[in-house]
Amino acid sequence: MAKLHSKLIWVILIALLVFIGYLYWLPGQKTDNRRATAAVAVSTSKVETKPMIRSVNSLGTGIANQSIQLIAPTSDFISELNIREGKAVKRGEVIAKLQDVDERARVTELEGILAEQKRQLDRLKNLANTQATAQSLLDEQITRVNTTLAQLNSAKAQLAQMTITAPFAGYLGLRQVSEGAYVSSGTVITTLDDLSTLRVAFSVAEHYLADIKPGMPLTVTNAAYGNISFAGKVSAIDTRLDPITRTVTVHGALVNDDVRLRPGMLLNVKLELDNRIAMQISEKALVPQQQKQFVYRVNENNTVSQTEVTIGQREPGWVEILSGLEEGDEVVVEGIQKLRSGITINRVGG
């Protein structure tokens, strides 16, 4: 009897444990079923076709299109000075004159001598037609005329040096001398800069060398003008690279009619390497697996399917799609970690 009673107790205990386990298992099973059927909250976006601009940024320095120092070619007193600092001058305009009394006198003297020698030359030419002995005298006179003519040309050149003119149109810099001062040969009088076009010199890594060509568009900004951009084009590419930095120097040209940009300015350069229409998606939509790229494309019934894509160029936040998607396709950009093919989604956010 006691043995039967003990077996009954064990049966009751086992049944009780099975019942308690069932009570714990049933809610979990229901939760798993709900999880299996619940939609996953994600954010999506559509494949867009829009311009893709690939560019490279660099720091550059402003350079005048033409820039020279106007110097005294010889030593003498300054008799005239026409420097309006910071003002525009035309090509050929007189900037300064040195005292040229001696030079003018020398030119006048040689002009008189040359005139007399030419008259004597004319008489000898007439005489040589009738007297053979006059030919040697004629030759000597021709030599004298040529020698005097050379001396006159040299004197005129020296006289011309006493007048300093602008070799091109531009803007005068600061005056370095005063009228009446005695200057030595090589003394800087002022500077002249052609600012109608400003060149910008900047360096680009050799990685981009094959992509850069003259005429490519670029823009520059400067701290003095905030977010205002100045447009220009690549004008020249150096034939040599810096062997230390492995960069190539590029020159750009910018129209500067308002003279807001100045030589020596630090300029932020953005060089546009490529600008074309391309099909693009957000970089966040990509799911890399080994050497391939995938996205989760949204189907008509709000389920997703993993789709392999071929990508092209990248730019911050966006990537070009070469194949695998069509314009207007919808892809998941956030919440990808919880997805697999066939899962139903619920769109949230923007």
Side-chain angles (χ1 to χ4, degrees), residues 79-150:
S79 60
E80 182 180 334
L81 197 61
N82 301 315
I83 296 178
R84 296 166 294 164
E85 296 169 318
K87 301 299 182 180
V89 294
K90 298 178 181 179
R91 179 180 180 180
E93 190 170 329
V94 175
I95 306 300
K97 285 185 177 182
L98 301 180
Q99 187 170 290
D100 57 2
V101 175
D102 293 341
E103 288 74 15
R104 288 184 180 277
R106 178 60 175 163
V107 169
T108 301
E109 176 187 4
L110 289 173
E111 285 177 340
I113 294 173
L114 182 62
E116 177 59 29
Q117 289 178 344
K118 284 183 175 181
R119 284 193 293 270
Q120 293 179 15
L121 179 61
D122 291 338
R123 288 196 296 269
L124 288 173
K125 284 181 179 179
N126 294 329
L127 188 62
N129 291 330
T130 57
Q131 298 182 17
T133 56
Q135 185 62 45
S136 60
L137 296 176
L138 177 61
D139 294 339
E140 291 177 3
Q141 191 61 27
I142 290 175
T143 301
R144 292 191 190 98
V145 169
N146 290 336
T147 301
T148 303
L149 182 60

Side-chain angles (χ1 to χ4, degrees), residues 39-42 44 298 302-304 330 332 339 343-347:
V40 177
V42 297
T44 65
V298 180
N302 288 335
T303 61
V304 295
E330 187 177 11
V332 177
L339 295 181
I343 288 289
T344 302
I345 64 163
N346 179 32
R347 299 173 184 82

Side-chain angles (χ1 to χ4, degrees), residues 23-62:
L23 292 178
Y24 277 98
W25 174 79
L26 184 60
Q29 185 69 15
K30 291 180 179 180
T31 301
D32 290 342
N33 290 338
R34 285 197 300 268
R35 287 177 179 171
T37 58
V40 177
V42 297
S43 294
T44 65
S45 69
K46 292 191 175 182
V47 180
E48 302 179 46
T49 299
K50 60 181 183 178
M52 170 165 272
I53 301 174
R54 190 163 63 95
S55 61
V56 59
N57 297 318
S58 181
L59 289 177
T61 301

Side-chain angles (χ1 to χ4, degrees), residues 146-163:
N146 290 336
T147 301
T148 303
L149 182 60
Q151 293 173 347
L152 177 60
N153 290 335
S154 177
K156 286 182 176 180
Q158 292 178 0
L159 177 61
Q161 288 182 349
M162 309 306 283
T163 301

Side-chain angles (χ1 to χ4, degrees), residues 333-347:
V333 294
E334 292 183 3
I336 295 174
Q337 299 81 357
K338 300 174 283 186
L339 295 181
R340 64 179 184 273
S341 292
I343 288 289
T344 302
I345 64 163
N346 179 32
R347 299 173 184 82

